[in-house]
């Protein structure tokens, strides 16, 4: 069983820019029930299928599998809700952790979030200077909810 422990923050300023090359992400969500999410993601020329359980505190079950790119493209076009999540992800090492900064495009343009995965919910972390308000418990910032209620409509 895989367990994801993640904290999410808004990003302040541009001092993080230039610290890493970004990768283009395109992802969609297959409708489910009971706060389980099924995500189809394309990163560059690779496809992934991810199933996530409900979030409790900072944790949830997560299972991710590589899938053929053609399958991912077909699932996005035929099974996933619109709009898709479009973003550029930058991975930056700071304080011994890898921070993933997502700069959203499309209907979520203007939103920039940073996520960090932890080994323990109570793990102490040193926040980089470009980290702003924590939004880990604000479900509006979950990618699966940004499909239903895009940032541009807030």
């Amino acid at each position: 069983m895989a367990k994801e422990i993640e904290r999410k923050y808004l990003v302040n300023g541009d001092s993080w820019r230039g610290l890493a090359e970004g990768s283009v992400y395109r992802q969609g969500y297959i409708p489910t029930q009971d706060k389980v999410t099924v995500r189809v993601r394309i990163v560059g020329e690779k496809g992934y299928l991810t199933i996530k359980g409900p979030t409790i505190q900072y944790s949830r079950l997560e299972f991710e599998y590589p899938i053929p790119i053609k399958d991912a493209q077909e699932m996005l076009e035929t099974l996933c809700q619109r709009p898709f999540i479009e973003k550029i992800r930058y991975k930056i090492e700071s304080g011994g952790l890898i921070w993933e900064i997502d700069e959203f495009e499309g209907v979520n343009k203007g939103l920039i979030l940073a996520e960090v995965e932890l080994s323990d919910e109570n793990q102490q972390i040193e926040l980089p200077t470009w980290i702003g308000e924590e939004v880990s418990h604000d479900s509006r910032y979950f990618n699966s909810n940004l499909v239903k209620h895009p940032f541009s409509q807030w």
Side-chain angles (χ1 to χ4, degrees), residues 87-141:
K87 61 188 177 182
I88 301 172
R89 175 167 282 176
Y90 304 85
K91 294 183 180 186
I92 299 173
E93 191 279 327
S94 180
L97 298 170
I98 301 297
W99 291 82
E100 297 177 340
I101 298 178
D102 290 338
E103 183 174 19
F104 289 84
E105 299 291 332
V107 295
N108 290 297
K109 189 170 184 69
L111 179 61
I112 303 175
L113 293 174
E115 301 175 348
V116 64
E117 288 198 22
L118 306 174
S119 56
D120 180 275
E121 284 192 5
N122 298 312
Q123 181 176 342
Q124 296 297 309
I125 55 176
E126 181 182 324
L127 299 178
T129 57
W130 34 265
I131 290 296
E133 176 187 353
E134 183 169 7
V135 293
S136 299
H137 296 296
D138 189 338
S139 62
R140 293 180 302 163
Y141 293 99

Side-chain angles (χ1 to χ4, degrees), residues 3 9 17 41-43 48 52 56 67 69 76 79 84 96 102 104 109 112 116 118 122 126 140 143 148 151:
K3 186 176 188 180
Y9 301 83
R17 292 191 186 278
R41 173 183 274 174
I42 295 175
V43 182
Y48 301 91
K52 295 186 179 193
I56 301 169
I67 60 173
I69 186 79
L76 277 171
L79 301 176
F84 297 130
D102 290 338
F104 289 84
K109 189 170 184 69
I112 303 175
V116 64
L118 306 174
N122 298 312
E126 181 182 324
R140 293 180 302 163
N143 281 242
K148 299 172 197 160
F151 181 69

Side-chain angles (χ1 to χ4, degrees), residues 26-46:
R26 185 172 181 235
Q27 63 194 48
Y29 291 86
I30 298 172
T32 62
Q33 299 177 27
D34 301 325
K35 299 183 182 180
V36 170
T37 59
V38 177
R39 177 182 71 205
V40 177
R41 173 183 274 174
I42 295 175
V43 182
E45 295 300 317
K46 296 182 179 180

